[in-house]
């Protein structure tokens, strides 16, 4: 999924993004290279099932260690 936004303003270390419907998202400004007001920013949201599965396996292993 891609979300096309503009960087509306920077508040401290946060960047406030607005989409076409003026829905707002706040992200760390450091996530946006060369962040500046008026910048066009496209967000790409992707599911990562392999990373999710690895994190779950790691959490289960840590829990098993704690139970011993």
């Amino acid at each position: 999924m891609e979300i096309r936004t503009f960087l509306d303003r920077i508040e401290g270390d946060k960047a406030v993004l607005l989409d076409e419907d003026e829905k707002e998202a706040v992200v760390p400004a450091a996530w946006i290279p060369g962040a500046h007001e008026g910048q066009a920013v496209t967000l790409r949201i992707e599911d990562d099932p392999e990373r999710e599965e690895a994190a779950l396996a790691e959490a289960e292993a840590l829990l098993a260690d704690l139970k011993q």
Side-chain angles (χ1 to χ4, degrees):
M1 165 190 248
E2 284 191 355
I3 304 167
R4 297 166 50 105
T5 69
F6 284 96
L7 201 162
D8 182 60
R9 62 191 180 279
I10 297 174
E11 297 178 347
D13 62 347
K14 305 292 183 201
V16 180
L17 305 172
L18 293 178
D19 71 3
E20 297 168 348
D21 298 324
E22 297 198 18
K23 292 179 188 165
E24 188 175 281
V26 179
V27 299
W31 288 7
I32 304 172
H36 62 275
E37 292 181 4
Q39 182 177 5
V41 177
T42 301
L43 303 175
R44 182 172 293 120
I45 310 292
E46 296 177 350
D47 189 25
D48 191 343
E50 286 115 15
R51 200 171 107 222
E52 182 179 344
E53 187 175 316
L56 180 59
E58 181 179 356
E60 287 173 346
L62 289 170
L63 184 58
D65 286 347
L66 289 173
K67 287 182 177 181
Q68 291 182 1

